[in-house]
Amino acid sequence: MITQENAFYKNELWCVYELKDAQGNYDEDTRLKMRKASQNNEFVCPDCGEHLVLCAGNKVEPYFRHHENANCPVRTNGQSTRYLLARRLLFQAAKRSFPNAVITCSRQGGKYVSDVFINDGDLRMVLEYAGQDLKLDLWEKKHAHYQEEGIIDLWFLNGRKYGDDVMATFEYLIYSYQGILLLLDMEDQELRLKQRCVIPFNHSECIFTKSFPLDKITIDPSGKIISEYEIYKEHYIEDVEENLKSKKRLSQYDADSGIFNKKPYRDPAAQKEIVQKVLQKVDESLAVNREYKRLHMESVKEREIKRDGGKNFKSDGTPRQGTSDGKLHRRSLSSEDGPLTARMTAIGESWDLPQLMGNEAMLPKASSNRKSYLESLNNRLWNTSDQKKQELFITKAVEKINSELKIYAWHCYKRG
């Protein structure tokens, strides 16, 4: 496979990554238009002048290839799908940051090839992806070449290779130049920023990381990532410092005995007063919650009886378990939830659940297990930015809820 991403189209340089949006989806109208242009030999190689063929399938990232008998002097070797994906993401970040710049991929500059090259008037910048560690002297030579040419080089590393803890040798080399590490996580579509920080309280050093969605990332002309990273870092340092101060306050130094008292003296009367105030507040809070639940259930009962004539309630007025047709019902999230409703806040929906059938003695545990399953699903949906993954999780959950209606299935259910 030839990893050629650039071509002249109607006398203007065009990059094949223009076919996709920030989420990796094709603009189908543009893909159809460019497929026709490719069949009409309208794409020309910027290096050798020969016609190029557009390859824009669904399995790998789009690219151009030469015809079989072409003889291009700078034809590049095939790259892994992961590497091509990284280059597309960096290209799109460059387009968002510098919309008027000329941006090319795999640009030959002397003996080196840059992943993404940005030319915006007096500004020249390259975005490089290092999926694997380079030899240290090779990186230093390439970096020195960019500095000699007056080019800002910004390096992105493999986000799944490096963690949030201490830096590896190659990380430290990049960090010594950039002052921050940019870890590209293509699976979660995030950019993780990693930096050392000093806690003023005891002058200790620690690592702070924070992730941001890739489609929101932009770069300023100095090569700095535009984000709220510094704000998050300041809050983190403040929290760590306050925690350290709290621990110190809990230990009092006795100058006479020369020991640390882990349980410093406190006035019993004052301590008792504090405990009583806390207990009073807890009792008040519990009373308010009980009253709120009672009023809520009354309103639910009245609403349900009005809606379906009371068929969802037993003769003693207590609500029955589940929907009347034995199927899960999805609706918009609201405060008007029935007696057996799961609040899927991650997607803004309330799910009315079907009735479980079987041994009533097993019902409490079965209902609790089903509720835990849906709470776990809701957390996964909060932590999943990919909409297709979200839809897959939801489809599987709905099928499971609708098919497993027997109490025994949920009574014995174990997560994981």
Side-chain angles (χ1 to χ4, degrees):
M1 182 176 72
I2 306 303
T3 58
Q4 173 65 276
E5 296 100 335
N6 311 300
F8 279 116
Y9 172 65
K10 294 184 178 180
N11 296 323
E12 291 186 2
L13 195 62
W14 186 78
C15 182
V16 73
Y17 295 141
E18 299 277 9
L19 292 172
K20 289 190 173 184
D21 61 18
Q23 286 72 41
N25 301 313
Y26 277 109
D27 182 327
E28 295 297 346
D29 291 336
T30 305
R31 178 161 66 161
L32 177 60
K33 173 185 174 182
M34 292 309 181
R35 286 277 198 185
K36 292 178 181 178
S38 176
Q39 293 176 3
N40 293 331
N41 290 327
E42 296 183 42
F43 292 115
V44 177
C45 177
D47 299 310
C48 67
E50 296 188 12
H51 294 300
L52 295 173
V53 179
L54 173 64
C55 301
N58 295 325
K59 292 185 178 181
V60 300
E61 294 298 323
Y63 64 97
F64 288 113
R65 66 172 176 84
H66 286 78
H67 289 279
E68 183 177 356
N69 297 322
N71 186 26
C72 181
V74 293
R75 293 172 68 183
T76 54
N77 296 323
Q79 298 285 356
S80 68
T81 303
R82 184 181 181 84
Y83 191 86
L84 295 178
L85 172 59
R87 203 145 57 200
R88 172 173 66 79
L89 295 172
L90 294 180
F91 172 84
Q92 291 172 336
K95 288 289 289 185
R96 286 193 300 273
S97 307
F98 308 99
N100 299 320
V102 177
I103 303 173
T104 54
C105 293
S106 302
R107 182 181 184 275
Q108 184 81 30
K111 60 181 180 180
Y112 298 112
V113 177
S114 55
D115 288 326
V116 177
F117 186 88
I118 304 166
N119 192 339
D120 191 12
D122 295 333
L123 171 67
R124 293 192 302 165
M125 182 186 299
V126 295
L127 309 181
E128 295 278 11
Y129 174 68
Q132 300 294 330
D133 292 358
L134 301 177
K135 288 187 177 180
L136 304 183
D137 58 346
L138 175 60
W139 181 88
E140 289 176 337
K141 290 178 181 178
K142 193 169 185 178
H143 171 59
H145 167 74
Y146 286 138
Q147 287 190 315
E148 291 172 1
E149 296 294 325
I151 300 172
I152 300 172
D153 53 326
L154 203 57
W155 291 80
F156 295 78
L157 307 185
N158 186 345
R160 288 299 173 102
K161 179 181 175 70
Y162 301 107
D164 296 339
D165 49 3
V166 296
M167 297 180 186
T169 303
F170 187 64
E171 281 186 293
Y172 177 75
L173 179 63
I174 303 295
Y175 184 81
S176 62
Y177 156 62
Q178 290 186 171
I180 193 168
L181 291 172
L182 309 175
L183 306 178
L184 193 62
D185 189 333
M186 289 167 288
E187 285 76 7
D188 292 338
Q189 295 284 292
E190 292 180 338
L191 180 67
R192 193 164 79 255
L193 277 62
K194 178 176 178 180
Q195 196 174 41
R196 287 176 171 175
C197 55
V198 177
I199 309 301
F201 179 72
N202 60 358
H203 304 289
S204 62
E205 188 177 89
C206 58
I207 299 290
F208 176 69
T209 63
K210 177 65 180 176
S211 297
F212 299 91
L214 266 173
D215 57 357
K216 306 297 183 184
I217 291 297
T218 54
I219 307 166
D220 72 8
S222 68
K224 180 181 178 181
I225 300 297
I226 301 174
S227 69
E228 296 180 344
Y229 177 79
E230 291 297 330
I231 297 175
Y232 283 105
K233 189 177 74 170
E234 287 178 8
H235 290 330
Y236 170 75
I237 293 173
E238 290 173 359
D239 290 343
V240 173
E241 193 166 33
E242 182 59 33
N243 187 40
L244 292 172
K245 290 179 179 178
S246 297
K247 289 181 178 180
K248 185 175 182 179
R249 284 194 295 267
L250 291 175
S251 299
Q252 291 185 344
Y253 183 70
D254 188 333
D256 296 329
S257 62
I259 61 172
F260 280 100
N261 181 10
K262 295 296 184 180
K263 295 182 179 179
Y265 171 80
R266 294 182 176 88
D267 181 25
Q271 194 76 359
K272 184 177 180 180
E273 184 181 354
I274 292 173
V275 171
Q276 288 177 343
K277 288 182 179 179
V278 171
L279 291 175
Q280 183 181 355
K281 287 186 178 180
V282 170
D283 289 339
E284 292 173 355
S285 178
L286 289 174
V288 170
N289 286 338
R290 282 194 295 269
E291 180 64 14
Y292 172 79
K293 288 181 180 179
R294 186 187 68 78
L295 294 174
H296 176 67
M297 291 306 299
E298 287 294 329
S299 65
V300 168
K301 178 181 174 181
E302 292 176 4
R303 186 177 69 253
E304 290 293 321
I305 291 175
K306 183 178 180 181
R307 185 173 66 183
D308 54 25
K311 66 182 180 180
N312 282 331
F313 287 81
K314 298 179 182 179
S315 58
D316 62 356
T318 59
R320 295 185 186 276
Q321 292 289 326
T323 54
S324 58
D325 60 355
K327 296 292 183 183
L328 184 149
H329 294 278
R330 298 170 61 183
R331 57 187 173 81
S332 298
L333 187 67
S334 70
S335 60
E336 299 180 356
D337 291 332
L340 197 63
T341 301
R343 291 174 61 81
M344 308 304 290
T345 55
I347 55 174
E349 292 183 1
S350 290
W351 289 9
D352 295 326
L353 307 178
Q355 178 179 354
L356 294 175
M357 300 175 292
N359 187 341
E360 292 295 324
M362 296 181 179
L363 179 59
K365 183 177 179 182
S367 298
S368 176
N369 285 344
R370 184 167 67 172
K371 180 181 178 182
S372 296
Y373 168 78
L374 289 169
E375 288 175 350
S376 176
L377 170 66
N378 193 49
N379 289 333
R380 292 179 69 186
L381 294 175
W382 272 117
N383 296 323
T384 304
S385 58
D386 189 327
Q387 189 173 1
K388 292 183 179 179
K389 285 185 179 180
Q390 279 194 344
E391 292 174 355
L392 178 62
F393 293 157
I394 293 170
T395 301
K396 289 183 178 179
V398 172
E399 291 176 353
K400 183 177 182 66
I401 296 295
N402 284 333
S403 62
E404 297 188 0
L405 297 180
K406 292 186 177 181
I407 289 174
Y408 182 78
W410 289 102
H411 183 270
C412 302
Y413 174 72
K414 293 182 179 179
R415 286 192 296 171

